[in-house]
Amino acid sequence: IAAGETAEFEGNALFGTMTLYTADKAIDVSQIELQPKLFVTDFTGLDLNYNELSGVPATTYSIGMVKPGDGLEVDANGTMSISDIEQYAHFFDTVADMEAATNLVAGSYAQTYGFYSLNDGGGALYRIREKEENETSNNITTFDIGTTNLVAELNRDVEINILQCGAKKDGSESISGIVNYLITNYPTTDIYVPNGDYLVHETIYLGTSTQFRGENMWQTRLFTDANIVMIQNKTDDIATLYMSNFYIDGNYHATKGVYLYRTQPNLVYNDSRSIIRDLLIKKCTDWCMQIGATTGSSNVIEITVENVYAHQYTGGGIYIAKCSDSHFSTLRAGSGMNSNKPGIQVEGYNLQFINCKSVLSGSVAVPASGWCFNGGGNIHADIEAQANTKNGVEIKNTRNSYFNIIADA
């Protein structure tokens, strides 16, 4: 098959016309063995469409590259019986239905249309295989099939939707165990959280290269009922992580919503390069967000924080502590209550603040400033303070810095 050409293959009783579309590059034909498996992708990376199967929805699925000798093979006439297809392609409403199945065999695939119930957002594709020696299913990405020695393993792509792993979006069960398992065992996979209300009863620990992403910063709500830091990094494990699009609700229980820090010196300059963006963090008792630990720790370096709102806190809004060589834009802190902590406090070096604002800090009884720059230097700040009950902006023990300030209190 030459690049750009189309070839047609006629099946017998199983298929209508099956068309293989080649990519814009040559294909090594010796490495391709066509196999009538319901879930298949050819070596071009494009889907092979197997439609008009008896009793099977006319839908294309994809599980990745086919390898020679992997799965089903046609006979010399290029035919296979419907019973053989049914042995290797299975459809279930829920994971529980799949677990109770008696007709699954190693090498087959199962498609669910929900996790707990039909169309609940947790539908997924699973590969059926034999258990490895001493393997125990984790009920997150692997599931026992009845009393057999078979296990269904989630067919993961570059992204894992936590609803496919048993998370509940009605807030009835904590997602901490599921998320921490995925972060630990799939460290470079994009962990995706659709809109919903999710209970976080134990701290979620981010790690190097973690990609933790919600659907919408106003509707993907993580809330807690415990006195915890809701999200923080594993000790000194902070390089190249990414988090975005969450509404983090401390519910006046959490001490911090997000806490990223280092305790040991960076082995390589600018080895962090982490990005935090599009977060709404509310109702925390210490700080809604803290970047860097306090004295005795090393700097968080080269972090970017964008579009973060801290709101309705009883501690402070955003605390930039041991941090350097970093960029902050569109930070908002406001409506702090019953605390003399500022809306935003800064103690770092080589920092840039663009279009950042603190409003309504403190109260008449417990006044607080909008901003406090307390130590550090080489800061460029384009900031605003409005309607705070103490000072709009305090600057002390800070050197070699430039401030462009709009403030009315």
Side-chain angles (χ1 to χ4, degrees):
I1 305 173
E5 291 184 353
T6 299
E8 292 187 350
F9 302 84
E10 298 293 340
N12 183 354
L14 280 177
F15 312 111
T17 299
M18 177 181 70
T19 303
L20 168 62
Y21 297 95
T22 64
D24 293 329
K25 60 181 180 180
I27 300 173
D28 184 356
V29 180
S30 66
Q31 297 299 311
I32 296 178
E33 180 175 340
L34 291 179
Q35 301 161 38
K37 187 182 295 183
L38 181 64
F39 314 106
V40 66
T41 295
D42 73 326
F43 270 70
T44 70
L46 302 176
D47 291 338
L48 296 175
N49 298 320
Y50 292 90
N51 296 326
E52 302 177 16
L53 291 175
S54 174
V56 177
T59 307
T60 300
Y61 297 91
S62 173
I63 62 164
M65 283 189 176
V66 176
K67 300 180 180 63
D70 175 33
L72 300 175
E73 297 181 4
V74 297
D75 61 21
N77 296 319
T79 63
M80 178 177 289
S81 68
I82 291 294
S83 62
D84 285 339
I85 282 290
E86 290 176 344
Q87 182 182 15
Y88 281 85
H90 306 272
F91 297 83
F92 303 96
D93 286 349
T94 67
V95 168
D97 293 338
M98 178 181 67
E99 290 177 310
T102 59
N103 59 342
L104 296 175
V105 297
S108 62
Y109 292 86
Q111 172 74 46
T112 62
Y113 293 107
F115 193 95
Y116 296 104
S117 60
L118 184 65
N119 297 325
D120 64 5
L125 179 67
Y126 297 86
R127 179 172 65 94
I128 309 303
R129 60 171 175 79
E130 293 185 356
K131 281 187 176 180
E132 298 176 359
E133 186 176 359
N134 300 321
E135 178 182 0
T136 301
S137 294
N138 55 51
N139 294 319
I140 296 175
T141 57
T142 58
F143 302 87
D144 289 335
I145 302 301
T147 58
T148 68
N149 194 43
L150 297 177
V151 64
E153 182 173 16
L154 179 67
N155 186 71
R156 63 185 183 86
D157 202 347
V158 294
E159 173 184 286
I160 296 180
N161 181 334
I162 67 167
L163 297 183
Q164 297 174 328
C165 301
K168 292 187 175 181
K169 61 180 179 180
D170 61 1
S172 61
E173 294 183 8
S174 176
I175 65 169
S176 301
I178 292 173
V179 175
N180 283 330
Y181 178 88
L182 295 175
I183 289 172
T184 298
N185 291 276
Y186 305 100
T188 60
T189 299
D190 188 351
I191 300 169
Y192 174 65
V193 185
N195 287 342
D197 292 307
Y198 299 90
L199 175 62
V200 176
H201 190 68
E202 299 86 21
T203 300
I204 291 173
Y205 290 96
L206 308 180
T208 292
S209 299
T210 295
Q211 310 290 302
F212 187 43
R213 180 174 58 88
E215 182 177 352
N216 184 293
M217 67 179 285
W218 309 105
Q219 295 175 288
T220 307
R221 176 174 174 256
L222 311 180
F223 73 97
T224 190
D225 58 1
N227 182 25
I228 60 171
V229 175
M230 292 183 66
I231 301 173
Q232 73 177 58
N233 61 292
K234 302 173 185 178
T235 302
D236 295 326
D237 197 1
I238 191 175
T240 63
L241 64 84
Y242 176 88
M243 180 172 65
S244 70
N245 282 303
F246 288 106
Y247 167 15
I248 300 170
D249 186 353
N251 207 24
Y252 297 123
H253 291 291
T255 55
K256 293 181 175 70
V258 176
Y259 178 36
L260 304 177
Y261 71 101
R262 268 193 173 278
T263 62
Q264 298 297 322
N266 300 53
L267 299 179
V268 181
Y269 188 76
N270 81 347
D271 70 345
S272 292
R273 300 185 301 278
S274 295
I275 299 174
I276 308 296
R277 60 162 54 106
D278 300 329
L279 302 180
L280 170 62
I281 312 174
K282 297 175 64 174
K283 300 180 181 179
C284 295
T285 61
D286 186 14
W287 293 98
C288 288
M289 170 181 279
Q290 181 172 334
I291 307 296
T294 52
T295 57
S297 300
S298 295
N299 286 351
V300 173
I301 295 179
E302 288 281 354
I303 190 169
T304 298
V305 181
E306 300 174 340
N307 197 35
V308 173
Y309 288 63
H311 191 55
Q312 292 179 331
Y313 40 85
T314 56
I318 299 171
Y319 183 19
I320 313 300
K322 300 284 285 188
C323 182
S324 65
D325 303 277
S326 296
H327 172 83
F328 303 88
S329 64
T330 321
L331 303 185
R332 295 289 186 271
S335 300
M337 300 174 287
N338 303 318
S339 173
N340 60 3
K341 291 183 177 179
I344 302 176
Q345 181 162 321
V346 180
E347 301 167 4
Y349 291 87
N350 303 329
L351 305 177
Q352 183 181 44
F353 294 86
I354 302 296
N355 189 28
C356 298
K357 185 175 182 178
S358 180
V359 300
L360 296 172
S361 297
S363 63
V364 174
V366 186
S369 296
W371 289 82
C372 180
F373 292 86
N374 185 20
N378 299 325
I379 294 170
H380 180 109
D382 183 356
I383 60 175
E384 186 174 351
Q386 182 180 6
N388 299 286
T389 55
K390 191 178 179 182
N391 298 307
V393 180
E394 295 182 29
I395 303 173
K396 51 189 179 181
N397 304 317
T398 302
R399 57 189 181 274
N400 300 329
S401 297
Y402 169 85
F403 295 91
N404 181 28
I405 300 171
I406 299 174
D408 65 5

